[in-house]
Amino acid sequence: MSGAAQNIIEVRGLRTQFGAQVVHDGLDLDVRRGEVLGVVGGSGTGKSVLLRTIIGLNRPAAGSVRVLGVDMLRAPRAERARVERSWGVLFQNGALFSSLTVQQNVEAPLREARDLGLDDADIAELARLRIAMAGLAPGAAAKMPAELSGGMRKRAGLARALALDPQILFLDEPTAGLDPIGAAAFDQLIGRLQRALGLTVFMVTHDLDSLNAVCDRIAVLAERRVLAVGTMEEMLAVDHPWVREYFHGPRARAALRAG
């Protein structure tokens, strides 16, 4: 299989900007089918902006974004909608509907997908399954988001992201705000789900433990582009000031020892 055939996401020549502020300029990135790719970079390098651009929430000034072989910036709306059904997204704080229970939040994308022909019983059962897959107890289904801890909100958001059985999972700082034990448990959950479901995972993170625990490759954003892509070991050989400081610091050494 050719390299292009293995890529589930291809970004070429991406330029994103907000007014006069240029965030990315000439950014290229490939995400391989079935891998966990961690995206890291300093503050303001546009990690979350890149994620939001790939999923269509930001319109770039130039470049192309292909997902599953479809040009997401130029394809007809119906074709884009078909591809969008192939991914799920977990935003930083879960982004749950505050007026809905966890069960109702997870049911929401299933109810929007009317072409699936699911009745209320099917939708409820699938939602309960996704809630269990995300590691939440059955009793969490009836809770409101305000009644959940930060870790539980992230798991509820993950359950909703999994609702339509996606091929691709986008995670935006999934362990931010969690204590070390909760973060490690969430990393383990992502790893189990990725292996069991054959997911491709695009994960924006600053957490060195997450990079070491679950990522197959790491993409470093710097100087408005992807500066380097490779394994944790390959990052250690990159000769760039920010990369050296990030991957050779005491926290990186501790993460590697733990790994």
Side-chain angles (χ1 to χ4, degrees), residues 70 72 75-87 164:
V70 175
M72 297 301 290
R77 174 59 196 155
E79 190 171 11
R80 296 200 309 272
R82 176 183 61 79
V83 176
E84 288 166 1
R85 284 267 294 272
S86 71
W87 68 55
L164 293 175

Side-chain angles (χ1 to χ4, degrees), residues 103 107 110-111 116-129:
Q103 175 84 19
E107 288 179 355
L110 294 164
R111 294 190 183 282
L116 294 179
L118 300 173
D119 61 24
D120 288 347
D122 292 332
I123 290 172
E125 181 58 30
L126 281 171
R128 285 191 290 269
L129 175 61

Side-chain angles (χ1 to χ4, degrees), residues 29-210:
L29 179 65
D30 292 331
V31 183
R32 299 170 183 168
R33 186 181 298 272
E35 77 171 341
V36 181
L37 179 74
V39 179
V40 302
S43 178
T45 54
K47 303 180 293 296
S48 295
V49 171
L50 176 58
L51 184 156
R52 293 170 67 87
T53 301
I54 293 173
I55 65 175
L57 296 181
N58 295 327
R59 181 81 181 181
S64 66
V65 176
R66 301 185 72 87
V67 181
L68 294 169
V70 175
D71 186 336
M72 297 301 290
L73 301 179
R74 298 170 181 84
R77 174 59 196 155
E79 190 171 11
R80 296 200 309 272
R82 176 183 61 79
V83 176
E84 288 166 1
R85 284 267 294 272
S86 71
W87 68 55
V89 185
L90 172 60
F91 294 102
Q92 283 193 35
N93 296 314
L96 299 171
F97 299 116
S98 60
S99 61
L100 302 181
T101 66
V102 169
Q103 175 84 19
Q104 291 167 335
N105 265 280
V106 180
E107 288 179 355
L110 294 164
R111 294 190 183 282
E112 290 179 5
R114 296 182 179 88
D115 59 305
L116 294 179
L118 300 173
D119 61 24
D120 288 347
D122 292 332
I123 290 172
E125 181 58 30
L126 281 171
R128 285 191 290 269
L129 175 61
R130 299 298 187 255
I131 290 168
M133 289 169 61
L136 287 171
K143 292 183 179 296
M144 305 298 290
E147 300 177 280
L148 304 177
S149 67
M152 291 176 70
R153 280 196 298 273
K154 288 181 184 288
R155 288 175 183 259
L158 178 61
R160 189 176 63 186
L162 294 170
L164 293 175
D165 194 20
Q167 297 182 52
I168 308 168
L169 188 60
F170 290 96
L171 307 175
D172 193 1
E173 296 283 7
T175 59
L178 299 182
D179 63 77
I181 294 174
F186 201 89
D187 286 339
Q188 292 168 5
L189 173 63
I190 294 300
R192 288 197 302 270
L193 289 171
Q194 188 274 331
R195 292 187 296 272
L197 303 176
L199 295 167
T200 301
V201 181
F202 181 105
M203 179 169 65
V204 171
T205 185
H206 69 280
D207 193 329
L208 281 156
D209 292 322
S210 296

